Structures are given as structure tokens and as C-alpha cells.
Amino acid sequence: PLAGVVLTRKGIDGRLQAILRAHEREMGDFTLHLDGRASDFLPDSGLWQWRYWGEGNFTPMQARWDVAGRGEWRDTVIELSELSTGFDQLKYGTLHASAPRMVLDTPIRWQRDPARPHFSGALSFEAGETTFTGGSVLPPSTVKFSVDGSDPTLFRFKGTLNAEAIGPVQLNGRWDGERLRGQAWWPKQSLTVFQPLIPPDWKMTLREGDLYAQVAFSAAADQGFEAGGHGVVKSGSVWMPDNKINGVDFVLPFRFSQGTWSLGTHGPVTLRIGEVINQFTARNITADLQGDYPWSEANPLLLTDVSVDLLGGKVTMQQLRMPQHDAALLRVNNISSSELISAINPKQFAMSGPFSGALPFWLDNNKWIIKDGWLTNSGPMTLRLDKDTADALVEDNSAAGAINWLRYMEISQSWTKLNLDNLGELTLASTLRGASRVEGQTQAVNLNYTHQENLFTLWRSLRFGDNLQTWLEQHAALPDNRCPTGKECKEQP
């Protein structure tokens, strides 16, 4: 609009307004209004003081934004003395930030003189809670940063990020008009400050330990957001309703690009846990992880060198590959049956002696979690029936004599076949060979025994593994064409 504007040899005088509209297919569109008074103004000469306001759409983050403030163009210097701009939201991938806004801490000045160009200022960026799809929440956060460079398309920045007790995270980087590059250093902090980032459904309380991290990141219209770095947890302690996990050491080297996490970019992700206290205690847990998530055939995810000491023995797994084509072999070595029975605490019988075996484990199978597993005794074992249980069986069973011989049995040889399906149905088929000693008499015993029970229900009854059960139910492939009872459904006409 030019009404009331006077043009002289020195420039423009009077009320000077301008409206700028722009649209870019990938970044979005905006409209910006400037309204003020000019005095002998020409570009880079004279004075034009104005207030400004505008709005637009920021397509990459599905956001609408607004801006308002005051400023002036005096000779070769453009200055913003007031600025308030923000978004209704920022949404990118799994991230959603609510109502972030940015304001000036120090005026932004752009010296446009080609002989001494300079661009500087300081801003504060504040956001409400930032949520993630999995249920994690970053508390309301503040980023304070300054800029320094030659013009708005070429400058460096540095600043800090705080989110309540989290931080300060040190930030620096540069913008070249097309690509934002930077680094972030997360100083050592108590692990407990990150409790809001743990989804409530995990029922996990962070109690001890330290975390520190370093990340390099890059963002541009043609590539999206990319990042890489590493995070470290030292001496962590995590408590859940049914578990206490102590002595956690975790190293996470990673890269994120185009929605894919590449884990273990410079050496594998390593996890070491001192102990997990439950119905029984597991110690010296180790695991390494390397590959892509989400995984693919070309870039699989590998879990390797898994080991845990428990129940007087050890369980190991050399490798689990996702996507899975072959079963991952869980090896069981010298597990104490007496410690296992004490943890389960059945009233009907007691056992002692070690056993070993192998359990082919499936995480990506339409029916099985464990298929054709086996267990055998790796030393002498004993089986003792509870007196009340044995007496009741004798009274109610026509084979009372045979049951009498099972009151106390020394097992010299055992073989158990084990299967576990995706519904949690555990099936055991055991063959026992040994001798029974009752009332001073010895009798050779050959026992064939089968047992079926829902393992998920058993875990719940023991207050053990609600989290493990939930994880298996969520991640193990659901069976195809199966009835709720676990029996094959009849084909419908």
C-alpha cells in the first residue's frame, strides 16, 4: 500500500507498509506484514521503523506458526528489538512438542555492509511437555542460544538446554542456509532425573546411577533429521514391582537416519548387569547388540554373547538374529533343581540335583517360542513327594503301590522334552530312570511323565515376570489359525 507515501530524491517518507507472501512446496508457506514510518528511506539508506506480524505453515513438522514484534532498518543495519514467535505444535516421527515459543533475549542485529557484514543476537526457545509415541515425556524445556555470523544464511550458534532437572545440555553448531549441523554434550547426571522419560506402563523406577552422552546432529530439507553419538549408563539401579535390577552398565553407540536406528556403530551396544533380584537372583548378566532397528534382511539386528548366572548354574545364548530364520539356542548348564523348586515353592514335591539342556528359542515364529527343547540331569538327582500329597494319591489311586515307590526316588537318568507356544502353553514329556527307597527296600523305577501348564499364568501366580510376560506377548509372533484353547481350529466351510 502506497497511500500517503512521499518519494523524494533522498528516499521514501511517510507511512510505509509491506506485505510478503511466500510458498515453498516442502517447507510450507507464510504471510508477513510490516507497517511503520519511513524517513528518507531507501534499501541500506535512511530509516524505516516498523512493527511486524505474520503467520504460516511449517510442513516438515505439521505445525502452524505465528510471529510478531518490532524493529527497524537504519542505513545498512536491520534490527529486531522485539520478537515473539511460536508454533501450535511440533510433530516429527514419534515426537510431539506442545506450544513451543521463541522470544528475544538480546536484539538481533544484521549489519549488511559488504565490507563488514555481521549477524548476531540471543534467543530463548521454550516448549511445554514433549511426548513420544512409546509413552515417554520430556518435561517442559528451555533452550537458550546465541547466534553469530555474517548473515541469516550463515552463522554459528551455541546454547544450553534444560528440562526441569535434566541438563544443562551444551549445544553448538552452524547454519549455512540449507543445512543445520550441531553437537550436544550431556554432562554426567544422576539417572533419577530421567524418570519422566520412562513410560508409566513400564512400572520402572530409576534409583541410582549416572548417565552421560554426546550427540552430533544434522537437519536439512532433503535428508530430514539425522544424529549419531553414544550414551553411557554407569552403576544404574532400576526397581520394578517384581524385580530389582542393580549394577547396570550400558554403552549405546548409535546413529539415527530416515527413521532407522543403527545400533552399535563403533562397537556393539553392551549391557552388563550385576544382579536381578526376583523369586531368585540372577547375576553377571551380559549381552551385546548390533544392527538396525527396524531391522531388515539386508541390515539385521544381532543379539550376541548373552550370559547369566542363576540357580547355581548358567544360561547362555550365542546369537539371536532378527529377522529370524533359525532358532536361537539357549544353553542351560548345571541349573540346581533344588533352587528352582525353592523359587517356585510347590507344596507337593521337592527335588535336588543339577540339570542341563538346550532350548531352541523363537521370537519370530507363527506358533512357537520354544520348539523341541530338552533337559537332562548332569549329575545325581532326587525326587521326594510331600507326605500328605503321597498319602492322598495312595487313597485315591488304584495304583497305590506304584505311587508308594515315588515317595523318595534317586534319579540316575532323566530326559525331558519341552515345548512352549505363543499362547504360553508349556508341555513337558519326561522319562525318569532310577531307584526308589521306601521302608528299607529298594526298587528300580522307570517313570514316564507328561505335564501341561500355561507358563504366563504360572508367572503371574509367582509374582514373577509380569514385564517379561508382557514383552513376550507383545513381541512373539501371534499364532495363525489357532483357537483360544490352543487347539487347532476346524476349517469353516
Side-chain angles (χ1 to χ4, degrees):
L2 298 176
V5 172
V6 176
L7 180 61
T8 69
R9 187 175 297 178
K10 293 181 179 180
I12 298 172
D13 280 297
R15 183 183 180 186
L16 179 61
Q17 304 175 66
I19 301 174
L20 174 64
R21 292 187 176 94
H23 173 79
E24 205 277 331
R25 183 177 60 182
E26 295 183 355
M27 298 301 291
D29 60 82
F30 70 88
T31 300
L32 180 66
H33 299 258
L34 295 95
D35 187 0
R37 178 160 295 278
S39 176
D40 296 336
F41 175 75
L42 291 173
D44 293 337
S45 176
L47 175 64
W48 179 23
Q49 295 176 311
W50 25 257
R51 64 184 183 92
Y52 61 95
W53 67 96
E55 60 183 7
N57 294 283
F58 187 42
T59 303
M61 291 195 169
Q62 305 174 42
R64 287 193 57 80
W65 65 270
D66 64 84
V67 65
R70 293 182 180 276
E72 66 176 25
W73 191 345
R74 185 186 296 270
D75 298 326
T76 57
V77 177
I78 297 177
E79 179 176 298
L80 301 184
S81 56
E82 296 179 16
L83 167 68
S84 176
T85 183
F87 303 87
D88 61 344
Q89 64 171 3
L90 291 177
K91 191 172 184 181
Y92 186 84
T94 62
L95 175 151
H96 181 268
S98 57
R101 294 202 67 82
M102 185 163 61
V103 297
L104 283 178
D105 286 340
T106 302
I108 292 178
R109 301 183 78 251
W110 178 15
Q111 170 57 266
R112 292 166 44 85
D113 185 347
R116 48 190 180 93
H118 189 239
F119 178 73
S120 64
L123 305 101
S124 292
F125 183 84
E126 297 185 353
E129 288 188 343
T130 300
T131 60
F132 301 87
T133 303
S136 299
V137 176
L138 180 69
S141 58
T142 300
V143 179
K144 289 184 174 292
F145 65 98
S146 61
V147 297
D148 188 83
S150 60
D151 60 65
T153 65
L154 187 62
F155 61 82
R156 295 185 176 276
F157 66 89
K158 62 179 180 179
T160 59
L161 180 150
N162 289 271
E164 293 186 353
I166 298 175
V169 179
Q170 304 295 324
L171 304 166
N172 69 44
R174 64 190 299 267
W175 166 250
D176 62 12
E178 295 183 357
R179 190 179 307 273
L180 179 71
R181 296 180 176 90
Q183 291 181 312
W185 286 269
W186 208 314
K188 182 181 289 188
Q189 278 196 281
S190 171
L191 201 61
T192 57
V193 304
F194 301 98
Q195 185 65 52
L197 295 175
I198 304 298
D201 292 346
W202 291 12
K203 301 176 182 178
M204 180 185 294
T205 302
L206 304 177
R207 296 182 61 85
E208 295 178 0
D210 298 312
L211 178 144
Y212 57 91
Q214 182 175 343
V215 177
F217 57 88
S218 174
D222 59 343
Q223 73 170 42
F225 179 78
E226 294 184 354
H230 70 275
V232 177
V233 173
K234 287 288 187 181
S235 304
S237 179
V238 179
W239 287 16
M240 292 175 281
D242 301 319
N243 305 283
K244 295 179 181 179
I245 304 173
N246 299 317
V248 179
D249 289 336
F250 179 58
V251 179
L252 173 64
F254 73 93
R255 180 175 176 80
F256 176 79
S257 177
Q258 297 181 348
T260 298
W261 294 88
S262 297
L263 305 175
T265 50
H266 299 286
V269 176
T270 61
L271 175 65
R272 305 291 182 262
I273 300 176
E275 64 177 9
V276 177
I277 303 173
N278 200 279
Q279 297 294 111
F280 49 84
T281 298
R283 293 186 173 88
N284 301 323
I285 300 170
T286 68
D288 294 342
L289 186 68
Q290 196 161 21
D292 282 7
Y293 183 85
W295 55 75
S296 65
E297 198 63 56
N299 298 290
L301 184 65
L302 299 177
L303 178 65
T304 58
D305 297 328
V306 177
S307 175
V308 55
D309 296 339
L310 77 163
L311 300 173
K314 184 183 287 287
V315 177
T316 61
M317 182 178 69
Q318 185 174 1
Q319 179 176 287
L320 169 64
R321 179 189 188 274
M322 298 302 294
Q324 190 175 15
H325 300 300
D326 301 300
L329 193 62
L330 286 169
R331 293 194 176 275
V332 179
N333 298 301
N334 289 318
I335 297 297
S336 169
S337 59
S338 61
E339 291 190 35
L340 177 61
I341 294 302
S342 296
I344 299 176
N345 196 28
K347 305 298 184 182
Q348 297 85 356
F349 66 95
M351 291 187 71
S352 65
F355 64 89
S356 300
L359 307 175
F361 175 72
W362 290 94
L363 191 59
D364 186 14
N365 188 283
N366 63 358
K367 183 176 180 180
W368 298 108
I369 296 175
I370 294 175
K371 175 64 171 145
D372 294 333
W374 59 268
L375 301 170
T376 188
N377 62 308
S378 48
M381 298 183 72
T382 61
L383 170 66
R384 185 191 302 272
L385 290 183
D386 175 72
K387 182 180 184 302
D388 294 338
T389 300
D391 291 344
L393 289 172
V394 168
E395 291 177 6
D396 297 339
N397 199 304
S398 59
I403 291 175
N404 248 339
W405 289 109
L406 298 179
R407 289 178 182 269
Y408 178 79
M409 179 179 175
E410 294 177 351
I411 301 169
S412 59
Q413 183 180 3
S414 69
W415 182 265
T416 299
K417 183 178 179 181
L418 181 152
N419 290 292
L420 176 64
D421 70 15
N422 287 327
L423 298 177
E425 289 297 323
L426 173 69
T427 303
L428 301 175
S430 299
T431 300
L432 307 179
R433 302 285 185 268
S436 176
R437 306 187 189 281
V438 178
E439 298 177 352
Q441 299 183 29
T442 302
Q443 174 71 40
V445 176
N446 296 325
L447 175 65
N448 295 317
Y449 169 75
T450 60
H451 179 78
Q452 186 170 356
E453 186 166 4
N454 189 281
L455 192 60
F456 295 161
T457 301
L458 176 62
W459 278 336
R460 279 193 292 266
S461 70
L462 297 174
R463 294 190 310 105
F464 169 74
D466 277 358
N467 297 293
L468 175 60
Q469 173 219 343
T470 300
W471 185 85
L472 282 173
E473 289 178 339
Q474 290 177 348
H475 291 81
L478 292 175
D480 294 333
N481 195 29
R482 289 174 62 79
C483 296
T485 60
K487 298 178 179 179
E488 297 295 330
C489 295
K490 293 182 179 180
E491 186 174 349
Q492 299 297 319

